[in-house]
Amino acid sequence: MNRISFIIGLLYTFCIQAQITTIPFEEDGLVFIKVKVNEHEEYLDFVFDTGASIGVLDSTVAKSLNIKSNYSQSAQGANGSQTYHIATNQSLKVGSVAFSNSNLVLVDLQKLSQRSGRKIQGIIGYDILKEYQTHFDFQAKTISLYRPEDQISELDTFTKIPMKFDGTPIPQMELTFTLRDGSIKTGNFLFDSGANMSLLFNTPYALQHDLKNRTGKTIKGKARGLNKSTTYTKGTIEKLSLEDFEFTDIPIDISEGKEGVSASSNYTGILGAKIINRFDMVLDYKNQLFYLKPNSKYNKPFEFPTSGIGVEKVSNKILVSYVAKESEAYEKGIREGDELINIDGYDGKELNEWKKHLRQDQKETTIQVKDAKGKVHQVVILLKRMI
């Protein structure tokens, strides 16, 4: 090879591999990255969320950093209309990339942190995604950013799927699904990696197609958004298809919301993290393309409710955040707000450990509970798939 060809080859290789920065992440249901805000030295724990059309900063953190709102605006969230207080023209640093003139909604994220079991100090998504091709590698636990014009190596090993935008910065994907009665349907779903569930159907679509009576056995659930809680119905569908990828026996959520994104008739519903995170992916907003490749979680069985108990960590206590009325736990007196003290000998305060114990199937389990009056009692229930 002559010198010119060698130099051209090096330049071509550099172009293909020239990511702007690589950002390590932690996965705990959602994807967490470190972000610096303004000139403060401390790195903050942000959720990287494709459903975040604007950055969010916890209001308590904002106060500690002397970041103040200078603008207010009403907007539709997942659970309804809300007035948001915004700090404009903030600087964010992710990896080696700085974003100036970013707007941050100041919201109390304490409830989300309590449900997650780990600190959530902010949320970021569109600020990054609109500027770069974004590559998520779940084995390496890294997010790599590329310029829109860069060629990414081995992209031909991914499946290319069209991305749509329809009046929102959140991308949409067309999905085909099979209901329990065998009927096959196609719908347009928001691609929301910050939604910690598999698939949600919006209220108008669910009512129009009578989903509650076409998804097998159901139970009631409760979800927490940024500002309020909503109830929904949990059921199952037989199959879900994303291009050539198929999943079977999938838990779904059916919205009962009357306002907000989940009450919109513009979309069928939301595709969430419990499916999205089964793929390594490249998101290319400029060319409106998803690139997906199955990762090690692709064939992992879906988790189904087995206890009917939701848990949260508040002031180093494990509390019941909701309990399904269809559950044995409810029949035996466990109620929302009760403190859980011990489960099969485990009395620690790691929320994920409690969730792990409560997710077992066909397991008789013993729970020590303190009710709202301070009375401690013991309950034995059989954990089993409920839907």
Side-chain angles (χ1 to χ4, degrees):
M1 179 183 295
N2 62 41
R3 183 180 297 274
I4 293 176
S5 297
F6 177 72
I7 292 172
I8 290 173
L10 282 178
L11 289 173
Y12 179 73
T13 301
F14 178 77
C15 178
I16 289 177
Q17 301 291 344
Q19 68 262 31
I20 302 300
T21 191
T22 297
I23 308 156
F25 70 78
E26 296 179 43
E27 186 193 2
D28 190 358
L30 304 174
V31 169
F32 291 81
I33 64 172
K34 299 290 186 181
V35 177
K36 273 190 175 183
V37 179
N38 297 336
E39 300 302 319
H40 300 284
E41 288 299 316
E42 180 186 2
Y43 278 95
L44 303 178
D45 292 308
F46 273 55
V47 172
F48 195 114
D49 179 4
T50 62
S53 57
I54 186 172
V56 175
L57 183 65
D58 177 69
S59 53
T60 301
V61 173
K63 186 176 181 180
S64 71
L65 299 180
N66 199 30
I67 295 173
K68 299 178 181 179
S69 164
N70 55 3
Y71 178 71
S72 296
Q73 178 177 318
S74 295
Q76 287 289 325
N79 299 319
S81 180
Q82 183 76 25
T83 298
Y84 292 99
H85 302 288
I86 303 169
T88 61
N89 299 316
Q90 306 299 305
S91 297
L92 305 176
K93 188 174 183 181
V94 181
S96 63
V97 177
F99 299 87
S100 59
N101 302 318
S102 294
N103 297 330
L104 293 172
V105 178
L106 308 183
V107 177
D108 184 356
L109 298 179
Q110 181 179 359
K111 283 292 185 182
L112 287 183
S113 296
Q114 290 169 354
R115 295 288 175 89
S116 171
R118 63 175 292 165
K119 181 168 55 178
I120 299 176
Q121 296 173 301
I123 303 170
I124 194 169
Y126 188 65
D127 283 343
I128 297 174
L129 293 160
K130 68 180 179 180
E131 299 290 343
Y132 298 101
Q133 295 182 83
T134 309
H135 177 204
F136 295 77
D137 184 331
F138 279 84
Q139 181 174 346
K141 295 288 191 292
T142 58
I143 299 169
S144 297
L145 304 183
Y146 296 82
R147 288 181 292 265
E149 66 273 14
D150 284 346
Q151 299 180 57
I152 301 176
S153 64
E154 300 184 357
L155 199 58
D156 58 348
T157 64
F158 289 69
T159 296
K160 184 167 61 175
I161 301 175
M163 177 187 290
K164 295 190 292 185
F165 291 94
D166 183 15
T168 171
I170 304 172
Q172 296 130 56
M173 176 183 286
E174 187 173 272
L175 305 175
T176 300
F177 51 94
T178 305
L179 300 176
R180 285 298 180 190
D181 62 7
S183 58
I184 300 173
K185 298 186 178 296
T186 299
N188 191 36
F189 290 79
L190 296 172
F191 189 88
D192 187 353
S193 65
N196 197 10
M197 46 81 175
S198 56
L199 198 70
L200 176 137
F201 288 89
N202 282 3
T203 304
Y205 188 91
L207 291 174
Q208 181 183 353
H209 296 276
D210 192 26
L211 288 193
K212 289 184 182 180
N213 293 315
R214 303 172 71 186
T215 54
K217 189 175 180 181
T218 62
I219 63 170
K220 292 288 186 181
K222 187 176 180 181
R224 172 76 191 184
L226 287 180
N227 292 289
K228 62 178 74 173
S229 296
T230 58
T231 58
Y232 60 92
T233 298
K234 294 189 75 71
T236 60
I237 58 173
E238 185 176 315
K239 185 187 295 185
L240 176 69
S241 300
L242 298 73
E243 291 288 314
D244 298 330
F245 305 115
E246 285 191 352
F247 300 98
T248 57
D249 193 20
I250 305 141
I252 63 165
D253 299 338
I254 301 172
S255 170
E256 297 176 358
K258 294 180 172 58
E259 56 181 347
V261 174
S262 60
S264 172
S265 59
N266 294 328
Y267 321 104
T268 307
I270 296 172
L271 180 70
K274 291 185 178 179
I275 291 177
I276 290 172
N277 291 355
R278 293 167 183 256
F279 295 93
D280 288 344
M281 56 191 171
V282 175
L283 304 181
D284 183 351
Y285 279 31
K286 180 180 179 181
N287 295 303
Q288 298 190 14
L289 290 169
F290 299 101
Y291 294 89
L292 302 182
K293 180 165 65 175
N295 60 35
S296 60
K297 297 187 292 296
Y298 180 75
N299 291 314
K300 182 181 177 182
F302 287 95
E303 294 173 350
F304 296 87
T306 55
S307 68
I309 300 172
V311 292
E312 61 185 1
K313 185 176 179 179
V314 181
S315 301
N316 208 37
K317 295 179 181 180
I318 305 300
L319 303 183
V320 176
S321 60
Y322 76 89
V323 56
K325 291 184 178 180
E326 302 88 343
S327 67
E328 185 180 353
Y330 189 88
E331 291 176 6
K332 294 191 173 179
I334 295 180
R335 295 292 183 269
E336 184 173 329
D338 286 353
E339 180 182 354
L340 301 180
I341 299 171
N342 188 297
I343 182 167
D344 289 338
Y346 176 75
D347 61 359
K349 305 304 179 185
E350 292 295 326
L351 192 66
N352 281 339
E353 276 298 311
W354 278 89
K355 291 178 180 179
K356 182 178 176 181
H357 277 280
L358 291 168
R359 281 198 299 259
Q360 298 175 87
D361 193 14
Q362 298 302 318
K363 170 74 164 60
E364 191 174 77
T365 193
T366 303
I367 307 174
Q368 193 176 44
V369 183
K370 181 189 288 186
D371 64 21
K373 297 180 179 179
K375 181 180 178 181
V376 177
H377 60 284
Q378 190 166 281
V379 174
V380 179
I381 61 174
L382 175 64
L383 301 176
K384 59 182 179 180
R385 177 170 165 173
M386 299 179 66
I387 57 175

